[in-house]
Amino acid sequence: MSEDEQELNELSGTIIGTAINIHRTFGPGLLESAYQQLMAYELQTAGLSIGYEIDIPLIYKSLYIPKSYRLDLLVNDKIIVELKSVKNLIEIHPKQVLTYLRLMNKRLGILINFNEVTLKNGIKRIINPYYHKE
């Protein structure tokens, strides 16, 4: 396992552990924005760098759309974290994360739906198959 893969695994473990701790405290039922602020607070408290509500531009040929998408959290400029608080994840949710990964050329995304009785049922790691190391 490369150093980069090891770092991603450690970071994702911290992110998922943080989400589980928040879920143990509050359970399902809060608004997505509340979970987002709690996650950002806890991850920053743990010493991680957090980008919060990052605008993602869309570039197509000569067209530049500066604020096409907005991702919830970017941890250490490496992992995209998309938070949901919905009854069920649907097919578009992982695709949304994959779109963010592609547009930002990041390798790993984590989709977390806090509206689950057992949070592990609402966590999905998403790998960007189009990632290219710069």
Side-chain angles (χ1 to χ4, degrees), residues 42 51 63:
E42 287 294 331
L63 177 64

Side-chain angles (χ1 to χ4, degrees), residues 69-91:
Y69 299 96
R70 179 174 285 163
L71 64 87
D72 291 332
L73 300 171
L74 179 61
V75 180
N76 280 12
D77 198 36
K78 292 190 176 290
I79 298 179
I80 291 173
V81 180
E82 182 64 23
L83 306 174
K84 301 292 181 194
S85 185
V86 294
K87 182 177 179 181
N88 295 305
L89 290 176
I90 58 175
E91 189 178 325

Side-chain angles (χ1 to χ4, degrees), residues 8-9 12-13 16 79 108-111 123-127:
L8 286 177
N9 283 338
S12 65
I16 291 168
I79 298 179
L108 178 63
I110 301 174
L111 173 61
I123 298 173
K124 296 192 180 307
R125 284 175 45 116
I126 299 162
I127 303 293

Side-chain angles (χ1 to χ4, degrees), residues 6-122:
Q6 185 174 349
E7 181 183 6
L8 286 177
N9 283 338
E10 289 173 12
L11 274 174
S12 65
T14 299
I15 293 164
I16 291 168
T18 299
I20 289 169
N21 288 336
I22 290 170
H23 192 266
R24 282 185 183 142
T25 301
F26 295 101
L30 298 180
L31 295 173
E32 178 185 315
S33 59
Y35 291 117
Q36 184 182 36
Q37 290 180 31
L38 291 166
M39 287 289 294
Y41 171 81
E42 287 294 331
L43 293 169
Q44 284 176 323
T45 300
L48 300 177
S49 170
I50 304 301
Y52 185 78
E53 293 193 0
I54 305 284
D55 289 325
I56 304 172
L58 180 62
I59 302 166
Y60 177 73
K61 297 183 181 181
S62 64
L63 177 64
Y64 179 81
I65 307 169
K67 296 181 181 183
S68 296
Y69 299 96
R70 179 174 285 163
L71 64 87
D72 291 332
L73 300 171
L74 179 61
V75 180
N76 280 12
D77 198 36
K78 292 190 176 290
I79 298 179
I80 291 173
V81 180
E82 182 64 23
L83 306 174
K84 301 292 181 194
S85 185
V86 294
K87 182 177 179 181
N88 295 305
L89 290 176
I90 58 175
E91 189 178 325
I92 194 67
H93 293 136
K95 290 178 181 177
Q96 176 186 19
V97 176
L98 183 57
T99 296
Y100 295 167
L101 289 168
R102 288 178 73 180
L103 292 175
M104 294 192 70
N105 192 38
K106 301 298 178 193
R107 189 167 178 193
L108 178 63
I110 301 174
L111 173 61
I112 303 172
N113 181 20
F114 279 95
N115 199 29
E116 293 282 349
V117 174
T118 305
L119 187 62
K120 72 177 183 177
N121 296 333

